[in-house]
Amino acid sequence: MYQAADLFRGIEDRVRATEMRADAAERAQFDIIGTTERKLREASKALEEAQKRIVTQQDQLAALEFRAQVAETEARDARQTLAQVEDAIRRRLLLTSEQADSQSPAVA
């Protein structure tokens, strides 16, 4: 019967070792799941932050585009005003020149 007791002890030892390996594997699996969930939360947070930055940059770009349109309109208006002033100066100079010619004595 000594052999049967040794046989049962050997089986019990193997069962305990198998249970310990199963427990260790289960703990490792929980650690992996916890790490994966943490990394997933971090990635999700990073994605949300990136999306917020994109929206902010899009808003800034829209504001810059609007300012550029306003500046282009103001520049166009300034060019038109300048052209009108130049035209008025030319007409005034021509008018002054014509008046001077009409008032000078004719040289014959």
Side-chain angles (χ1 to χ4, degrees):
M1 198 132 145
Y2 184 68
Q3 290 180 346
D6 288 339
L7 179 65
F8 284 122
R9 253 185 256 124
I11 291 172
E12 287 175 346
D13 290 344
R14 284 198 314 243
V15 167
R16 275 192 287 275
T18 301
E19 286 176 347
M20 289 173 60
R21 284 196 314 274
D23 288 343
E26 188 175 17
R27 281 192 303 274
Q29 185 179 17
F30 283 130
D31 288 345
I32 290 170
I33 290 171
T35 300
T36 302
E37 287 176 345
R38 180 180 49 79
K39 287 181 179 181
L40 190 58
R41 282 191 304 272
E42 290 171 358
S44 178
K45 183 178 177 181
L47 178 60
E48 288 175 12
E49 290 174 5
Q51 287 172 333
K52 287 177 185 178
R53 284 193 305 271
I54 289 170
V55 168
T56 299
Q57 289 174 348
Q58 287 173 335
D59 291 345
Q60 290 173 344
L61 178 61
L64 287 172
E65 288 174 345
F66 178 75
R67 286 174 43 199
Q69 289 173 354
V70 168
E72 288 171 354
T73 300
E74 289 174 351
R76 186 175 51 253
D77 292 346
R79 282 191 302 271
Q80 289 174 348
T81 301
L82 179 60
Q84 291 170 350
V85 168
E86 288 174 345
D87 189 48
I89 291 171
R90 276 191 211 97
R91 278 189 264 133
R92 179 73 174 210
L93 288 174
L94 286 174
L95 181 62
T96 305
S97 175
E98 288 174 1
Q99 287 175 350
D101 287 345
S102 67
Q103 292 177 357
S104 33
V107 176

